[in-house]
Amino acid sequence: MNSAAHIVYVFHLLVILAGGLVATRAVQKDRALVGLITAMFGVAGMYLLMNAPYLALMQLMIYAGAVGVLIFFAVMFTRPAQGQEERGRYLKRPLMAVAAGLLPAATLAAGAFLFIRQAKAQAPEIPVVQLGAGLLGRYALAFELISVVLFAAMAGGVLLGFERRRRR
Amino acid sequence: MSLDTPLLSLLLGLAAILAFAGANGIVLVWVERKVAGRCQRRPGPLHVGPYGLLQPLADALKLISKQLITPRRSDRLLYWGAPLLSFMPVPICFLPLPFLPEMATVRLNLGLILILSFIGLNSISLCLAGLGSNNKWSLLGAARAIAQTVSFEIPLLLAALTAVFMAGSMDLHEVMAAQGPWPWQWFGFMNPLALLLFLISAVAETNRAPFDLPEAESELTAGFHTEYSGMGFGIFFLAEYAYILIICGVAAALFLGGQQGPVAPGPWWFLAKMYALVLLVIQLRWTLPRVRFDQLLNLCWRWMTPAALLNILATMLVMLALKGA
């Protein structure tokens, strides 16, 4: 990596960290979401740095564009009335955030150090055709499992919605 | 300093794109008002300059000189961030559009995905505007904008994908090159359903009438930009015109052969097709009444999404059959 890449890397890292901090520390949910979307932009930048533009654009389209917007939808309808926002110091929250961040980071780092001996100086850009073949061939099971997770999340959301309605 | 410096050419390109977007905004306002006038059997703007040509400049001057008001108890950061965020993706979206034969500002092999992913960011800015304004109309407008854009993104992407399949590339230049000079060699002619679906979704994505529910004047005052004055509104407006241009440019490149034409192929064909589509979009606004919200969502989920899926399947089958033959 040359020095320009280092600078870009640090910049994206700062964007991700700042976005994450805002997402966990903001009192208002809408601001927290803006933080989350900022962090997603940083992640997309990291993908670009790894020479994976397709993944970066998908990150923007799906996470920043679609998922972020859907969370906005949820925030909009669960908004507390003006002046009734939850206030107070959350001591637990940063601790939990650190724990939640460290766990996947540690797992990934362990995996990376165990299985990948040497990092490539410059990653080759993989053509979209090859990506598609991979997603429908070698990694088909993993790809489909993700959609099962999404389905479970959606079904859970619907179930919670019904539960809350019944309680009223 | 020579012109080859990447930074300088980047800055020049950016300035050129912004100037193009701004100039188009001004001209299209005039066209919009003239078309509106003609559609309603009146002459449209007449008095400022010849044929009312200076009317948009007067409008722009008015918008710039207006006081910027921040509503009390609104979220200042989100409120002023929203119009900026709405315009920010515009220069990026202009980059892959095939304006010029070879230079084409930037040649990207993922050009189409780049445009479509950044256009989606516009809906975030509408959300921010709705949430930040602390106004019920804005909030409702934003809620509508989200439901609408999230829904219509699906047929839009699927229709664009059919053209990508037919060309075998996501580079707009290569999609153009895969089509011939004559209209019957264009993807829009070979696959008219995809073109139709793309155009309908494009109108919905850019929040234009008959799908302008997020700002529906008669129901929500002005929807998400109710509270914005002066250039706050002006930037939203400029971004809207820029997005119309971009999406019409994409349609022209994907389905109408882009720079290909029967005589003298070149960028002028692309521009002519793009502006013809823009004119169509403008004319639609003044011809069709606004649809109801349930009609809008029914149209998307019941008709357009299944049609787009079936169309993509049929395209694949035909392509396989042609390949096998």
Side-chain angles (χ1 to χ4, degrees):
Chain A
M1 260 207 281
N2 53 21
S3 59
H6 278 290
I7 294 171
V8 175
Y9 175 81
V10 170
F11 173 74
H12 290 320
L13 197 67
L14 287 180
V15 168
I16 295 174
L17 285 179
L21 260 180
V22 173
T24 46
R25 300 298 296 155
V27 178
Q28 286 147 321
K29 281 186 226 150
D30 24 5
R31 285 209 175 171
L33 191 53
V34 173
L36 183 66
I37 290 175
T38 313
M40 285 169 179
F41 266 89
V43 173
M46 285 292 193
Y47 286 141
L48 266 185
L49 200 62
M50 288 189 267
N51 212 359
Y54 187 71
L55 202 57
L57 291 178
M58 281 297 144
Q59 165 82 14
L60 285 186
M61 188 192 260
I62 298 175
Y63 286 97
V67 174
V69 161
L70 281 180
I71 301 178
F72 252 120
F73 211 44
V75 168
M76 207 175 275
F77 286 118
T78 53
R79 236 180 160 202
Q82 190 71 239
Q84 292 185 355
E85 294 99 346
E86 283 178 70
R87 281 187 190 279
R89 299 233 157 260
Y90 300 98
L91 280 175
K92 257 194 213 159
R93 226 189 240 181
L95 284 179
M96 277 151 82
V98 167
L102 272 185
L103 188 67
T107 323
L108 272 178
F113 281 118
L114 280 179
F115 298 109
I116 304 168
R117 298 282 148 72
Q118 171 119 47
K120 280 180 184 152
Q122 180 152 34
E125 190 188 334
I126 296 168
V128 181
V129 177
Q130 213 177 321
L131 280 178
L135 284 180
L136 289 178
R138 195 170 164 199
Y139 303 106
L141 184 66
F143 193 52
E144 290 304 314
L145 275 180
I146 295 171
S147 46
V148 173
V149 172
L150 279 182
F151 175 74
M154 221 146 64
V158 171
L159 205 71
L160 281 177
F162 274 126
E163 195 100 308
R164 194 182 281 177
R165 203 174 289 171
R166 215 179 298 146
R167 232 181 285 149
R168 254 181 219 165
Chain B
M1 202 151 70
S2 72
L3 261 176
D4 296 337
T5 325
L7 187 68
L8 187 65
S9 62
L10 194 75
L11 284 177
L12 279 178
L14 200 63
I17 287 174
L18 288 178
F20 183 74
N24 263 294
I26 286 180
V27 174
L28 286 179
V29 168
W30 181 80
V31 174
E32 173 108 56
R33 295 182 130 206
K34 273 291 180 195
V35 171
R38 295 297 146 108
C39 285
Q40 296 165 350
R41 307 187 73 180
R42 60 185 173 83
L46 269 183
H47 297 287
V48 191
Y51 305 103
L53 269 172
L54 296 180
Q55 183 69 47
L57 283 183
D59 285 349
L61 212 64
K62 181 196 78 177
L63 280 181
I64 290 171
S65 56
K66 262 182 163 179
Q67 187 191 358
L68 294 175
I69 298 166
T70 313
R72 195 180 293 172
R73 302 181 75 179
S74 67
D75 193 327
R76 282 189 77 93
L77 192 74
L78 299 190
Y79 182 78
W80 289 115
L84 295 181
L85 185 70
S86 143
F87 195 77
M88 256 195 278
V90 166
I92 300 172
C93 290
F94 268 110
L95 286 182
L97 280 184
F99 283 112
L100 295 173
E102 258 319 297
M103 185 192 117
T105 41
V106 179
R107 183 101 186 238
L108 297 156
N109 51 1
L110 293 171
L112 181 68
I113 299 287
L114 182 78
I115 294 181
L116 292 176
S117 57
F118 274 90
I119 271 193
L121 296 182
N122 190 32
S123 53
I124 294 182
S125 77
L126 302 194
C127 298
L128 288 183
L131 280 173
S133 300
N134 191 24
N135 177 319
K136 291 280 188 287
W137 281 314
S138 305
L139 201 60
L140 280 173
R144 285 178 170 193
I146 298 166
Q148 182 171 333
T149 46
V150 166
S151 313
F152 276 90
E153 214 157 69
I154 297 164
L156 184 87
L157 287 176
L158 290 175
L161 262 188
T162 36
V164 168
F165 279 173
M166 288 161 88
S169 170
M170 290 194 194
D171 183 351
L172 287 176
H173 283 268
E174 283 183 28
V175 178
M176 252 170 25
Q179 304 173 65
W182 297 98
W184 56 86
Q185 291 169 318
W186 297 345
F187 289 157
F189 187 84
M190 293 190 220
N191 200 338
L193 184 60
L195 174 61
L196 188 72
L197 289 172
F198 189 89
L199 283 181
I200 296 177
S201 330
V203 174
E205 278 282 301
T206 46
N207 300 327
R208 296 275 302 181
F211 305 128
D212 63 340
L213 290 130
E215 37 191 308
E217 295 94 341
S218 47
E219 302 165 31
L220 298 178
T221 323
F224 62 89
H225 61 67
T226 304
E227 294 286 355
Y228 286 89
S229 62
M231 271 322 271
F233 162 74
I235 293 175
F236 273 127
F237 204 59
L238 210 58
E240 183 182 314
Y241 279 108
Y243 285 122
I244 296 170
L245 266 184
I246 290 164
I247 208 118
C248 287
V250 172
L254 282 184
F255 294 106
L256 299 179
Q259 299 181 4
Q260 309 265 15
V263 278
W268 36 88
W269 276 102
F270 174 71
L271 287 177
K273 288 164 187 169
M274 184 173 80
Y275 283 115
L277 285 176
V278 170
L279 216 65
L280 176 76
V281 169
I282 289 179
Q283 200 228 333
L284 272 182
R285 172 171 176 191
W286 300 101
T287 313
L288 297 176
R290 184 181 303 133
V291 296
R292 237 173 33 224
F293 199 65
D294 57 315
Q295 290 171 331
L296 175 95
L297 290 184
N298 273 337
L299 176 73
C300 177
W301 291 105
R302 274 203 190 155
W303 300 104
M304 288 177 56
T305 308
L309 280 172
L310 287 178
N311 189 33
I312 215 168
L313 209 64
T315 313
M316 278 196 284
L317 288 178
V318 170
M319 278 177 63
L320 280 179
L322 286 179
K323 220 181 190 179

